[in-house]
Amino acid sequence: MPTAEEDIAYYRRRIDACSEQARRAEYVSARRAHEGLARLYREKLVALGVDLAASDEQDAVELGAVREAADKASSRSTPGEL
């Protein structure tokens, strides 16, 4: 059975991976799905007692990058893909 530290490290890796996938997503629906998964992993960290206040600045940076990706994707998307 994994330790709490191993769980925390796993969830942080998953958050990083999901955030990267959201940044690279070509379609808004894919971006939202990856953002949703990252949010759920953050909730797991909170349930484990991890203070996410220190990562708020990083989250803001990620959201800015995700918004840029969304703008890029929406310019390429057809109306049915939103």
Side-chain angles (χ1 to χ4, degrees):
M1 186 166 185
T3 65
E5 290 81 18
E6 291 170 330
D7 280 344
I8 291 168
Y10 170 78
Y11 291 131
R12 287 181 192 241
R13 285 192 308 272
R14 294 306 311 143
I15 290 166
D16 290 343
C18 290
S19 297
E20 178 63 24
Q21 289 173 316
R23 279 191 292 275
R24 293 177 180 224
E26 291 191 29
Y27 302 105
V28 174
S29 58
R31 176 182 52 84
R32 288 181 182 154
H34 292 300
E35 288 172 342
L37 286 172
R39 186 185 71 252
L40 291 172
Y41 285 124
R42 284 186 187 96
E43 289 175 9
K44 293 294 267 182
L45 287 177
V46 169
L48 289 172
V50 175
D51 180 19
L52 296 179
S55 66
D56 283 345
E57 182 178 318
Q58 179 62 30
D59 290 348
V61 169
E62 289 175 6
L63 287 174
V66 168
R67 283 191 194 107
E68 287 178 27
D71 292 342
K72 179 177 75 173
S74 65
S75 68
R76 290 187 307 223
S77 298
T78 61
E81 294 172 323
L82 299 176

